[in-house]
Amino acid sequence: MIIIQAKDYDEMSRKAALFIASQVLLKPNCLLGLATGSTPVGTYQELIRFHEEDGLSFQQVRTVNLDEYYGLPASHEQSYRFFMQENLFDHIDILPENTHVPDGLSRDPQAYGKEYDEMIASMGGIDLQLLGIGSNGHIAFNEPGRYFTAQTRLVDLNKNTIEDNARFFESADEVPRQAISMGMRSILGARRILILASGANKAEAVRDMLEGQVDPMIPASILQLHPNVTLVADNAALSLIS
Ligand code: F6R
């Protein structure tokens, strides 16, 4: 794993955006795997700036998102589809039909998860997957557990994730308890992975991901098995690395 150090969140965001922009320049019709949450917001702002000021075009880019809260319609302000429109898609020249976020209202999540994985494979697989990391070590909503799961599927969010994400809702009670999450197969199938981490609350997860055993209790540790992972993290998130 290549580690790129940044002094703070803004520098992490600039470096991450350069990384993604270079992928788009190299392969204009690339398939980008995208994440939501607080971590990539600054990266998306930088990409919007590259688009507006430097003419970076996303016209041929295709995207697949990692996850969506189960039960939230796309129009809900806390849905991940809404997040992606607000934070990126509405500000660049990407074609709406080229963007894919799991459907939080799917009636048959099991069949839907299979279709989502098949769609990614039929698009040629992910060229660059952007990831954040949960304070409990999750990637997408693959929560700590007894085993790693390959498929996109319906998952129960654990208590820690519900508490972490309560900041976006009126209260923890309003955080959906389930999500549709990409599984490890599509994530590890990406040709390159870019994982971002910012802040002291991610330091333990980053240390365990890098220095611990590959262990489903630290889902991000599976990235040790991928040949092309880059971590861009700020000093606070790297503070526990030996
Ligand atoms: C988001 C996702 C999650 C987040 C993680 C970190 O699509 O899949 O794994 O990346 O929960 O969230 P933030 O960035 O809000 O700390």
Side-chain angles (χ1 to χ4, degrees):
M1 191 178 299
I2 296 170
I3 302 176
I4 299 179
Q5 196 168 355
K7 69 174 188 306
D8 55 19
Y9 178 83
D10 289 345
E11 192 177 299
M12 176 200 75
S13 302
R14 280 195 297 277
K15 288 181 168 173
L18 283 169
F19 198 101
I20 297 168
S22 72
Q23 172 67 69
V24 173
L25 288 173
L26 279 171
K27 186 177 175 190
N29 65 344
C30 60
L31 180 57
L32 296 178
L34 297 178
T36 59
S38 307
T39 311
V41 170
T43 304
Y44 294 152
Q45 283 168 358
E46 284 294 305
L47 288 174
I48 294 167
R49 198 172 64 75
F50 291 156
H51 171 67
E52 289 174 347
E53 295 176 11
D54 304 318
L56 180 69
S57 175
F58 294 81
Q59 228 165 9
Q60 296 180 60
V61 170
R62 301 159 304 146
T63 66
V64 282
N65 263 76
L66 288 169
D67 38 27
E68 178 60 281
Y69 286 122
Y70 193 56
L72 295 194
S75 57
H76 192 287
E77 279 191 11
Q78 295 307 332
S79 79
Y80 286 166
R81 165 54 78 176
F82 195 94
F83 173 101
M84 289 309 302
Q85 294 301 136
E86 288 265 290
N87 286 286
L88 185 64
F89 298 153
D90 286 348
H91 310 283
I92 57 175
D93 60 345
I94 197 160
L95 302 179
E97 61 270 30
N98 285 345
T99 69
H100 305 89
V101 179
D103 178 5
L105 296 183
S106 147
R107 294 256 173 87
D108 182 351
Q110 203 179 341
Y112 181 78
K114 192 163 175 274
E115 276 167 34
Y116 201 75
D117 289 335
E118 285 167 0
M119 177 190 74
I120 293 170
S122 74
M123 290 166 98
I126 297 167
D127 291 294
L128 174 62
Q129 175 65 58
L130 177 64
L131 296 174
I133 182 169
S135 61
N136 62 4
H138 74 208
I139 48 175
F141 279 133
N142 293 288
E143 300 283 29
R146 279 184 296 140
Y147 42 80
F148 295 111
T149 308
Q151 302 87 352
T152 296
R153 68 210 182 283
L154 186 64
V155 296
D156 293 329
L157 303 184
N158 81 10
K159 197 165 158 279
N160 177 285
T161 299
I162 292 167
E163 281 163 12
D164 279 355
N165 290 2
R167 67 191 191 280
F168 299 111
F169 293 81
E170 298 270 302
S171 71
D173 289 342
E174 291 189 20
V175 182
R177 273 22 190 184
Q178 291 182 303
I180 297 197
S181 174
M182 204 188 274
M184 294 302 190
R185 182 188 295 129
S186 298
I187 294 173
L188 292 181
R191 286 181 268 287
R192 292 199 298 164
I193 293 176
L194 173 62
I195 180 162
L196 309 182
S198 171
N201 65 325
K202 300 293 174 70
E204 276 184 31
V206 167
R207 179 200 57 204
D208 294 348
M209 164 178 74
L210 294 174
E211 297 182 350
Q213 303 282 329
V214 174
D215 178 351
M217 288 306 291
I218 310 292
S221 65
I222 201 170
L223 299 178
Q224 292 177 26
L225 302 179
H226 190 284
N228 199 334
V229 181
T230 302
L231 166 69
V232 183
D234 63 16
N235 288 336
L238 290 171
S239 58
L240 297 178
I241 300 301
S242 58

